[in-house]
Amino acid sequence: MAKNTEIARIQKGALTADEAEALFATVDETGHTDEERARKERRRRKEKGAGVDVDPLTGDDPSGSNVEKVIAKTAVVFVVFFLALVVIMQVVFGFVRRSNTSNLSENVNVKTVASALSGGVEWGNGFTQFPEDFSVIEADENTGRIEVSVTDTSSENALECFAGSQVQATAFAVNSLLNPKIDTVVYHVNVHLDENGNIERSQLFGFLKPTGDVTSFMTFVWTKTQSSSGVNFSCTITGIDDALQDELRDQITTSFTPVQILSGSNN
């Protein structure tokens, strides 16, 4: 009974293992065993350019597809192009920034000061930008004085405005005081206040400007003096109301912070 079952499972006319191996040994890259048909197929492929000579017994894709290689090559080209684009943009941005930035240590007038506030200034190894809303009150090498006013629209609270304005005022003043003809820099900072007295800031990436009343926040006064020991740069912060002064004092000092005793004497 078992023999009858095995005989029934054998397909009629099927090749044995040895016969199949012998058959595939005669198949060339065109898939034909007949030499004449294989020759015609090779000639057709050569003329039409259709199809790729592939050995069907190898591990290559019989369709001749090289999708993986194309994807890998495209990815490498994209990464290289992207990195090159980033480097080029950084170089161009740096060149444009420097070409549009005025060096106040060389020349001070209303135009150069406005250009510095608009484009920013180099300070040490860094670069500092200023609020978009500004005005130049005075910029004269004859009087040795620069006075500007800016309106901060990016700070969320008093401490943030104080910290940012301190950096901006310092960068602007130091760049200006390096000019031998300038000895005083006054940097006024204004803010927008809502009806509750809170600082308003721009919204929607700066597209929506604050609409509150513009109010004076504080003023940084930088001066340059010389003595037998060298050149001294000093900064005085004025224009802060009592409530704001108490708020900032509570936020940035402790009971261990040293107290400076100011004396009115000239000794």
Side-chain angles (χ1 to χ4, degrees):
M1 183 68 66
K3 291 183 179 181
N4 293 336
T5 303
E6 293 177 358
I7 293 174
R9 288 179 179 177
I10 299 176
Q11 185 177 355
K12 184 177 181 181
L15 299 176
T16 64
D18 294 337
E19 291 173 343
E21 184 176 355
L23 175 62
F24 278 101
T26 62
V27 176
D28 64 0
E29 72 278 4
T30 64
H32 297 289
T33 58
D34 187 346
E35 183 177 349
E36 181 63 24
R37 294 183 61 187
R39 186 164 49 251
K40 292 180 180 180
E41 179 64 19
R42 282 193 290 270
R43 184 168 56 252
R44 186 191 69 82
R45 292 183 180 184
K46 184 177 180 180
E47 294 175 353
K48 302 294 185 181
V52 180
D53 292 341
V54 178
D55 185 354
L57 299 182
T58 65
D60 296 337
D61 188 344
S63 66
S65 174
N66 58 349
V67 175
E68 294 182 358
K69 295 180 180 179
V70 172
I71 293 176
K73 184 177 180 180
T74 303
V76 172
V77 172
F78 175 79
V79 171
V80 173
F81 175 78
F82 179 77
L83 292 177
L85 181 62
V86 170
V87 173
I88 293 174
M89 290 181 62
Q90 288 180 336
V91 173
V92 172
F93 177 77
F95 176 78
V96 173
R97 187 186 70 187
R98 285 174 171 80
S99 63
N100 293 331
T101 299
S102 298
N103 189 355
L104 300 180
S105 64
E106 298 178 354
N107 185 24
V108 167
N109 54 51
V110 174
K111 183 178 180 180
T112 58
V113 171
S115 177
L117 291 174
S118 176
V121 296
E122 300 280 350
W123 185 43
N125 294 326
F127 178 78
T128 301
Q129 290 183 299
F130 303 95
E132 295 180 358
D133 300 329
F134 65 86
S135 62
V136 181
I137 302 173
E138 181 181 0
D140 192 347
E141 291 183 347
N142 295 321
T143 61
R145 179 183 173 88
I146 298 176
E147 184 174 0
V148 299
S149 177
V150 301
T151 302
D152 187 347
T153 59
S154 61
S155 299
E156 186 175 4
N157 50 54
L159 182 59
E160 187 175 328
C161 182
F162 169 74
S165 299
Q166 171 72 13
V167 173
Q168 295 165 4
T170 302
F172 179 77
V174 171
N175 189 279
S176 302
L177 292 176
L178 292 178
N179 188 315
K181 298 180 181 180
I182 300 299
D183 52 49
T184 302
V185 177
V186 181
Y187 189 89
H188 299 285
V189 180
N190 303 318
V191 294
H192 290 269
L193 297 181
D194 60 16
E195 57 184 9
N196 297 321
N198 298 318
I199 294 179
E200 289 185 338
R201 63 189 302 188
S202 299
Q203 302 293 333
L204 196 62
F205 305 101
F207 290 102
L208 296 180
K209 301 294 184 180
T211 58
D213 295 335
V214 178
T215 305
S216 176
F217 181 73
M218 63 177 56
T219 298
F220 297 86
V221 180
W222 280 81
T223 56
K224 177 178 63 179
T225 58
Q226 59 177 327
S227 63
S228 59
S229 59
V231 180
N232 301 319
F233 287 6
S234 61
C235 176
T236 303
I237 302 176
T238 63
I240 307 177
D241 59 39
D242 294 338
L244 179 59
Q245 187 173 0
D246 293 338
E247 179 183 351
L248 291 175
R249 181 185 293 112
D250 293 339
Q251 291 178 334
I252 64 179
T253 64
T254 67
S255 58
F256 300 101
T257 302
V259 178
Q260 182 180 10
I261 300 177
L262 301 178
S263 176
S265 63
N266 295 326
N267 297 334

